[in-house]
Amino acid sequence: MARTKKLRMFLFATLMVFFLLTGCNSESSGSGNEGSSSDSGAKEDKIVVGFSQIGAESGWRTAETESIKETLGNDPQYKLKFSDAQQKQENQIKALRSFIAQKVDVIALAPVVESGWETVLQEAKNSGIPVILLDRGIDVEDESLYTSFIGSDFIVEGENAAKELIKLMGKDSQVNIVELQGTVGASAANDRMEGFANIIKEHPNYKIIKSQSGDFTRSKGKEVMEAFLKSDGENIDAVYAHNDDMALGAIQAIEEYGLKPGEDIKIVSVDGIKDIFEAVIAGKSNIIVECNPLLGPQLAQAAKDLHAGKEIEKWIKTEEEVFVGKEEAEAALPSRKY
Ligand code: GZL
């Protein structure tokens, strides 16, 4: 009896030692994994993206930032390094140099203006770090300085704005237009201006009587519209604003001036933020040309493809719609995401 008991005790102890050792291996492989991930650096298992954002000048910009932070910030495959340049190109250049020094895997850049990027992009290229442009383009001789542009066709947006305004007001009407331009030097401003002019030049009875930058902000848009009303008040038939925030500022200025926005003065703007849909529903604006800011998923996919050594398209275009009048705005508002 005692012998059997001893044998049982020995077998039990042997089994215990066996399970402890193997259990320890799975833990160690777990800790191994953790160890390897910490040894190889969690960051090496992640795709590290350095994103230089322009700032927070508009509802559109905020929506873009949220889309990118949500998509990359919540996905364990990525590590997002984010920098807000407060509208200053020099801050963006500093941020890019910092990302290069940190050896990120991919740089994402929303360039505040089109020019002045060659040097820092050459530094990124020399470091073997691909650069993806987001939502605005740049003007460079050497297109190999960036890998891809994820964003809209602003010329088409400008053309659609003019086409819809002419449809709304009649191709034979005499229409005096004031234009609220975006940030001076920004591709979104330059191309939206070009696109609108492409169509207007075919209709000489449509005239742009004043055009000035409102820097894509609500406050500056209001300020510039106040000046237009002071100089040309009753003579203004329509406003073309390069973004909704400036249009919303103009709406305030027109009301304070004593005229009815959306009726006395028709309004067309670009972006498609919720506030402009509400303004159209309230009869205070007329035409919305959508510009999609929700670029997070496209950026994430592009970064992942580049990290895997895949080729990506030079221009990853975003699809967009146009909304005209109260009914279309009411139908669309419930599904708007920004
Ligand atoms: C467009 C983007 C523009 C938006 C503005 O891609 O660059 O900048 O239209 C934003 O609202 O400020």
Side-chain angles (χ1 to χ4, degrees):
M1 188 57 173
R3 271 172 58 89
T4 324
K5 197 172 173 198
K6 265 192 186 154
L7 183 62
R8 224 181 275 140
M9 289 287 284
F10 173 72
L11 278 174
F12 176 71
T14 314
L15 274 174
M16 283 307 292
V17 169
F18 172 75
F19 281 122
L20 272 174
L21 280 177
T22 46
C24 183
N25 279 336
S26 61
E27 266 160 38
S28 65
S29 66
S31 60
N33 279 339
E34 285 151 30
S36 63
S37 63
S38 62
D39 294 348
S40 67
K43 60 185 177 320
E44 279 179 20
D45 299 342
K46 293 178 181 288
I47 303 166
V48 184
V49 178
F51 173 33
S52 169
Q53 177 57 296
I54 291 172
E57 75 283 358
S58 64
W60 189 98
R61 184 68 49 200
T62 309
E64 182 188 54
T65 296
E66 280 164 12
S67 170
I68 288 162
K69 283 187 172 177
E70 261 161 43
T71 311
L72 278 76
N74 296 341
D75 184 332
Q77 293 179 85
Y78 302 93
K79 181 175 176 56
L80 177 66
K81 293 176 181 287
F82 176 81
S83 152
D84 175 334
Q86 276 123 40
Q87 307 291 108
K88 292 186 174 64
Q89 181 174 29
E90 64 264 28
N91 289 345
Q92 291 200 285
I93 291 171
K94 266 190 220 137
L96 262 56
R97 289 202 163 114
S98 163
F99 294 148
I100 293 167
Q102 296 174 69
K103 297 185 173 39
V104 299
D105 297 305
V106 179
I107 286 173
L109 167 66
V112 60
V113 292
E114 286 190 294
S115 58
W117 299 101
E118 287 79 356
T119 306
V120 72
L121 292 183
Q122 190 59 56
E123 290 165 21
K125 186 176 178 183
N126 296 346
S127 305
I129 301 175
V131 175
I132 296 174
L133 300 180
L134 281 182
D135 92 71
R136 288 187 190 174
I138 58 175
D139 188 8
V140 287
E141 286 291 308
D142 177 3
E143 294 265 313
S144 74
L145 288 176
Y146 69 93
T147 303
S148 179
F149 166 58
I150 301 176
S152 312
D153 187 332
F154 304 126
I155 291 181
V156 167
E157 291 173 347
E159 289 173 346
N160 286 339
K163 286 175 186 167
E164 293 301 335
L165 184 66
I166 292 165
K167 255 193 249 170
L168 178 72
M169 300 187 80
K171 64 180 175 51
D172 301 323
S173 308
Q174 288 299 324
V175 177
N176 290 331
I177 303 160
V178 291
E179 181 179 30
L180 294 170
Q181 296 173 20
T183 301
V184 175
S187 64
N190 294 339
D191 291 354
R192 283 173 186 164
M193 184 155 53
E194 181 184 334
F196 193 85
N198 288 348
I199 303 300
I200 291 297
K201 69 176 180 247
E202 293 156 16
H203 299 268
N205 46 315
Y206 278 72
K207 282 186 181 48
I208 297 177
I209 58 170
K210 285 278 183 351
S211 184
Q212 190 181 328
S213 174
D215 207 15
F216 283 132
T217 68
R218 230 168 268 209
S219 56
K220 195 86 174 91
K222 182 178 185 224
E223 197 183 298
V224 173
M225 189 67 206
E226 284 163 350
F228 288 161
L229 287 161
K230 199 160 173 225
S231 61
D232 296 87
E234 307 296 334
N235 198 25
I236 299 171
D237 302 305
V239 177
Y240 168 43
H242 290 185
N243 84 332
D244 297 339
D245 288 76
M246 294 189 291
L248 291 160
I251 286 167
Q252 266 184 302
I254 294 166
E255 288 178 318
E256 289 169 9
Y257 182 78
L259 291 175
K260 291 196 184 80
E263 290 176 39
D264 302 326
I265 296 180
K266 303 296 185 195
I267 299 173
V268 52
S269 63
V270 187
D271 277 351
I273 61 172
K274 279 187 186 138
D275 289 354
I276 203 69
F277 277 88
E278 280 152 12
V280 171
I281 291 166
K284 296 184 177 179
S285 192
N286 306 91
I287 301 162
I288 304 166
V289 177
E290 185 184 33
C291 175
N292 186 349
L294 308 180
L295 305 182
Q298 288 168 306
L299 173 60
Q301 189 57 54
K304 190 171 179 180
D305 289 346
L306 286 176
H307 194 63
K310 291 181 188 166
E311 290 275 310
I312 62 172
E313 289 169 79
K314 194 72 180 174
W315 185 355
I316 300 170
K317 257 188 200 173
T318 44
E319 295 310 317
E320 289 145 1
E321 296 181 62
V322 178
F323 302 89
V324 181
K326 206 166 177 168
E327 261 177 54
E328 288 187 18
E330 262 168 352
L333 182 60
S335 56
R336 298 302 298 170
K337 297 195 186 78
Y338 61 94

